[in-house]
């Protein structure tokens, strides 16, 4: 059994980590869902040591897809992209962990799967840019906006994982 001072120390240690932890929005697009890659993709984030704090399956409306990709509204592929995102079920997730925004993008790989390194999700599992199976926030501001667009605050679950002390030391 822990002495009280040890328990207090652990609590403070965890709170220290909680303050450092960041969150990112990750979505498995309709192609990833239809191809049966949900578990494969989740597994890569989970095994890395990142923590899943929100998840749902949803078919976004076209209007919702347009909000999500608003920054790309001037691009020629915008309409097709929004049609595609709203064409079927999407797995929307929030992942938490030190450096998860930037490293999540590394796990995902380059936008064009032809340019993604082997070992990345798009490099290993996708072939063309219009069917690159996964979305990940590209920076802290985008992450904040996308999490707020896809989730209510009550859908975000804060919890301590027993693995954290082995992941962060
Ligand atoms: P990322 O998803 O890597 O952040 P972008 O934000 O630039 O990339 O683009 C968003 C999505 O738009 C891409 O993931 C891809 O599905 C699609 N896309 C990007 N460029 C093209 C293109 N040239 N043709 C068709 N679709 C594209």
């Amino acid at each position: 059994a822990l002495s009280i001072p040890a328990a207090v120390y652990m609590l403070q240690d965890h709170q220290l980590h909680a303050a450092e932890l960041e969150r990112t929005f990750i979505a498995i697009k309709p192609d990833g869902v239809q191809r049966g890659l949900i578990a494969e993709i989740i597994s890569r984030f989970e095994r890395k040591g990142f923590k899943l704090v929100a998840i749902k399956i949803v078919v976004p409306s076209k209007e919702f897809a347009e909000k999500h990709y608003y920054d790309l509204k001037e691009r020629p592929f915008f309409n097709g992209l929004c049609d595609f995102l709203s064409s079927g079920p999407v797995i929307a997730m929030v992942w938490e962990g030190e450096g998860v925004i930037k490293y999540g993008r590394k796990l995902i790989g380059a936008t064009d799967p032809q340019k993604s390194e082997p070992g990345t999700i798009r490099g290993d599992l996708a072939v063309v840019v219009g069917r690159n199976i996964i979305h990940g926030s590209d920076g802290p501001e985008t992450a904040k906006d996308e999490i707020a667009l896809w989730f209510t605050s009550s859908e975000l679950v804060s919890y301590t994982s027993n693995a954290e002390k082995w992941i962060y030391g």
Side-chain angles (χ1 to χ4, degrees), residues 86-103:
S86 57
S87 70
V90 168
I91 302 293
M93 298 178 279
V94 178
W95 285 87
E96 184 182 276
E98 249 177 69
V100 71
I101 300 173
K102 215 170 178 183
Y103 207 88

